Amino acid sequence: MVNIIENPATLTGRDLRISPLGRVEGDLDLRVTIRDGVVTSAWTEASMFRGFEIILKGKDPQAGLIVTPRICGICGGSHLTKAAYALDTAWQTELPPNATLIRNIAQACETLQSIPRWFYALFAIDLTNKKYAHLPEYDEAVRRFAPFVGTSYEHGVTLSNKPVEIYAIFGGQWPHSSFMIPGGVMCAPTLADVTRAIAILEYWKDEWLEKKWLGCSVDRWLQNKSWADVMEWMHENERHYNSDCGFFLRFALAAGLDKYGAGWNNYIATGTYFHPERYARPTIEGRNAALIARSGVYVNGQFYDFDQANVREDVTHSFYEGSHALHPFEGRTEPIDPAVGHRQGKYSWAKAPRYLIPGVGSHPVEAGPLARQVIAGRPGAADWQDYDPLFLDAVTTVGPSVLVRVMARMHEAPKYYKLVRKWLDQINLHEKFYIKPKELPEGRGFGSTEAARGSLSDWIVLKDGKIENYQVVTPTAWNIGPRDGREVNGPMEQAFIGTPITDPSDPVELGHVARSYDSCLVCTVHAYDEKTGKALAQFRIGEGA
């Protein structure tokens, strides 16, 4: 619902309140101030409470393997991956190479599933909005992207389930599998399993990725190393030009999606996918050097190494006790009544993650595919690590935007296809998949991965054989988190500023910005429903609370 409120603070301004804005889960509320048809201020509001950190406190250390994948029905495999690595580092386990390969395959397949499903079912359907009816290719956009009946919509959404069929072969089910455990994975695939997985992956690549999306081979697309290369690729031949990718590029440029949605142009990636031999004994300190898709931070045009010790969660404007900015090992999840919080200037259930660069300061940083691909452009990669300059070139030449953010995510489909195909070939069916670990009663662990939407991390503190503290920092929290103690906007709040609004009663432009991040509030906020029926707390949400 869109509520328009005339803003007496400005002669030509007005406020819009959109509740809900998200298409995946309905927990993202947005308030913006518009002046002369352009957004000048924005507040992103997570409107529900998540209590998983409270649930896990005092539980068995392995509870995170069962509980955290239930945080999200879309990225449950990613939650499992980082929970397993958090306990691997706390218990100082040993991982056989096969286990790392299977974890890599499962993580990548969940992301491959998400790419076409997000594009067709969540993002592209907004291109059929009547705002674009004046564009010459509007009818073609409707023919391809109309929900449920569009020729590309149906094809892309239907085939998006193929990669998670591979996940289910190894994980037993998807979503909500718990087959990754400290010391390895609970599966022992046969040759038939691996062969079937390869056949499914090739079918997905042939029938959607190459035939429908790219109109060319994976290898041809991956020859693009700059934004100029992408533009030349689009005009190279009719197959490229008329592919879904080529059409989307043309239509998005005509619709102006390259003109807004930039954000801070600061990025974080905690990295994902490990070299099987280089992370055989997982440690927090040895993590960066073992990553295939590298970690890193990019702020004000400079690259920095990622260090989990520099993450902070600011609660100045969040519905939690205090106004501190704590590292997750010391993090606290102490909810307060939103009515009290509003009087303190708080407006969201999401905390505000920030990255502290020693000697430089604390910064809001965007997580997600664009962040990953910018970090992939950092020089100095080892020969077995991902080096890809395409989107570092894009943000430094044409600049970040809705269009560039969408293309970064689509670019990962051919890249991750090739990785999964290689890892499937490397599984040794005659070797171990699990090494039983020693269950240490004390310790600290950090596990992280890159979910489809961005960096997803767990911090776990063990004491007397129980969970003393558990904190989850999600990609959506990185992106939709509120202002911090210095009144600096969160990344998505900043991305809304400057967005032109043609029709305040139907602000589709705000939907473009939000959905380019693929904000998914189910992992950032979540209602806690206690089995006994006893309510943990009651809150009134929304206006007047």
Side-chain angles (χ1 to χ4, degrees):
M1 175 181 290
V2 179
N3 290 320
I4 302 176
I5 307 166
E6 298 301 329
N7 187 344
T10 62
L11 295 177
T12 57
R14 56 177 45 176
D15 285 356
L16 294 185
R17 183 178 179 84
I18 305 174
S19 177
L21 180 65
R23 187 161 276 145
V24 174
E25 305 300 325
D27 310 320
L28 173 61
D29 290 355
L30 173 66
R31 179 163 63 93
V32 297
T33 295
I34 298 173
R35 183 175 183 134
D36 298 329
V38 177
V39 175
T40 56
S41 296
W43 295 261
T44 51
E45 305 173 9
S47 61
M48 294 182 70
F49 170 60
R50 185 190 73 184
F52 282 89
E53 290 86 351
I54 298 173
I55 296 170
L56 286 165
K57 193 175 179 65
K59 298 290 193 302
D60 183 276
Q62 297 188 78
L65 306 172
I66 306 299
V67 173
T68 66
R70 272 70 182 177
I71 291 176
C72 181
I74 299 172
C75 295
S78 302
H79 279 278
L80 176 62
T81 301
K82 47 71 170 162
Y85 279 115
L87 208 47
D88 279 319
T89 55
W91 278 357
Q92 303 171 25
T93 66
E94 180 179 0
L95 292 176
N98 275 340
T100 301
L101 290 169
I102 296 293
R103 290 184 183 186
N104 287 349
I105 290 166
Q107 173 65 79
C109 282
E110 184 171 83
T111 299
L112 290 177
Q113 168 268 152
S114 181
I115 292 170
R117 188 167 299 185
W118 160 78
F119 179 79
Y120 294 109
L122 302 181
F123 185 86
I125 59 178
D126 282 335
L127 302 179
T128 66
N129 186 284
K130 64 181 185 302
K131 171 187 174 177
Y132 304 117
H134 67 286
L135 296 179
E137 294 194 287
Y138 177 74
D139 289 345
E140 179 63 14
V142 173
R143 189 185 73 80
R144 295 190 191 218
F145 301 142
F148 304 109
V149 297
T151 54
S152 297
Y153 177 102
E154 180 182 9
H155 192 76
V157 172
T158 300
L159 289 184
S160 70
N161 73 334
K162 291 300 175 184
V164 289
E165 288 183 13
I166 299 171
Y167 192 111
I169 288 174
F170 298 107
Q173 67 180 66
W174 183 93
H176 304 323
S177 176
S178 294
F179 82 109
M180 299 180 196
I181 56 175
V185 292
M186 286 192 297
C187 66
T190 65
L191 180 59
D193 292 331
V194 176
T195 303
R196 184 178 166 212
I198 291 172
I200 293 170
L201 182 68
E202 290 297 308
Y203 179 79
W204 179 84
K205 184 262 292 183
D206 291 343
E207 295 301 315
W208 175 72
L209 181 54
E210 291 189 338
K211 184 182 294 184
K212 197 72 173 179
W213 175 250
L214 293 175
C216 69
S217 70
V218 163
D219 290 334
R220 170 61 192 93
W221 170 263
L222 292 178
Q223 291 172 8
N224 295 325
K225 301 301 180 186
S226 68
W227 193 252
D229 287 348
V230 172
M231 295 297 106
E232 290 180 13
W233 169 91
M234 180 173 65
H235 293 285
E236 188 172 290
N237 59 49
E238 288 190 7
R239 289 187 297 110
H240 298 180
Y241 191 81
N242 292 319
S243 67
D244 276 359
C245 181
F247 177 78
F248 169 68
L249 282 166
R250 302 198 316 271
F251 195 84
L253 289 168
L257 301 190
D258 59 327
K259 305 299 185 189
Y260 60 90
W264 288 114
N265 201 17
N266 294 334
Y267 306 98
I268 186 170
T270 59
T272 190
Y273 312 133
F274 291 100
H275 188 288
E277 280 77 33
R278 295 175 186 271
Y279 210 50
R281 290 191 176 275
T283 63
I284 297 176
E285 296 74 18
R287 185 176 180 278
N288 283 350
L291 287 165
I292 295 172
R294 294 175 291 163
S295 64
V297 176
Y298 182 83
V299 170
N300 297 334
Q302 299 293 319
F303 284 107
Y304 300 89
D305 292 340
F306 168 74
D307 185 345
Q308 61 81 30
N310 294 331
V311 174
R312 299 289 184 272
E313 288 190 291
D314 191 303
V315 298
T316 302
H317 290 288
S318 308
F319 296 135
Y320 300 95
E321 293 283 356
S323 56
H324 48 260
L326 298 176
H327 182 271
F329 275 142
E330 284 73 44
R332 303 197 300 264
T333 303
E334 302 168 329
I336 64 172
D337 188 326
V340 176
H342 281 300
R343 291 195 290 272
Q344 299 173 4
K346 297 172 182 283
Y347 58 92
S348 177
W349 280 110
K351 299 177 182 177
R354 294 291 185 266
Y355 191 82
L356 176 63
I357 301 174
V360 177
S362 180
H363 290 270
V365 283
E366 174 180 338
L370 180 55
R372 286 194 288 268
Q373 296 310 311
V374 169
I375 299 302
R378 185 180 188 179
D383 59 2
W384 49 272
Q385 292 180 311
D386 180 32
Y387 171 69
D388 184 349
L390 172 52
F391 283 90
L392 178 60
D393 174 84
V395 300
T396 54
T397 55
V398 298
S401 64
V402 169
L403 172 59
V404 168
R405 190 172 293 114
V406 170
M407 287 304 298
R409 186 160 184 175
M410 304 310 292
H411 180 62
E412 292 186 333
K415 292 182 69 170
Y416 291 175
Y417 154 76
K418 289 184 74 73
L419 286 173
V420 173
R421 185 67 181 84
K422 180 176 71 174
W423 292 327
L424 286 167
D425 289 343
Q426 292 175 347
I427 295 172
N428 186 338
L429 298 176
H430 302 290
E431 296 294 335
K432 297 178 180 178
F433 289 81
Y434 170 71
I435 298 173
K436 184 175 176 55
K438 184 177 181 180
E439 300 183 12
L440 303 178
E442 315 277 339
R444 291 186 168 196
F446 168 70
S448 189
T449 188
E450 290 287 334
R453 293 165 183 80
S455 300
L456 174 61
S457 309
D458 281 3
W459 283 259
I460 184 172
V461 179
L462 304 179
K463 185 178 181 181
D464 299 329
K466 303 290 184 183
I467 295 175
E468 174 73 7
N469 195 8
Y470 204 106
Q471 295 292 324
V472 182
V473 178
T474 65
T476 298
W478 279 109
N479 291 333
I480 66 97
R483 287 161 172 74
D484 56 29
R486 299 172 300 134
E487 302 302 317
V488 177
N489 290 341
M492 192 187 290
E493 290 179 331
Q494 186 65 24
F496 284 119
I497 294 174
T499 300
I501 305 298
T502 302
D503 178 3
S505 68
D506 184 16
V508 65
E509 299 90 345
L510 299 177
H512 290 323
V513 175
R515 285 185 263 285
S516 72
Y517 284 90
D518 195 15
S519 57
C520 179
L521 272 291
V522 72
C523 65
T524 298
V525 293
H526 208 293
Y528 173 40
D529 184 10
E530 200 172 44
K531 285 184 177 179
T532 62
K534 181 181 178 181
L536 178 66
Q538 289 186 332
F539 302 108
R540 292 180 58 200
I541 306 298
E543 295 290 340

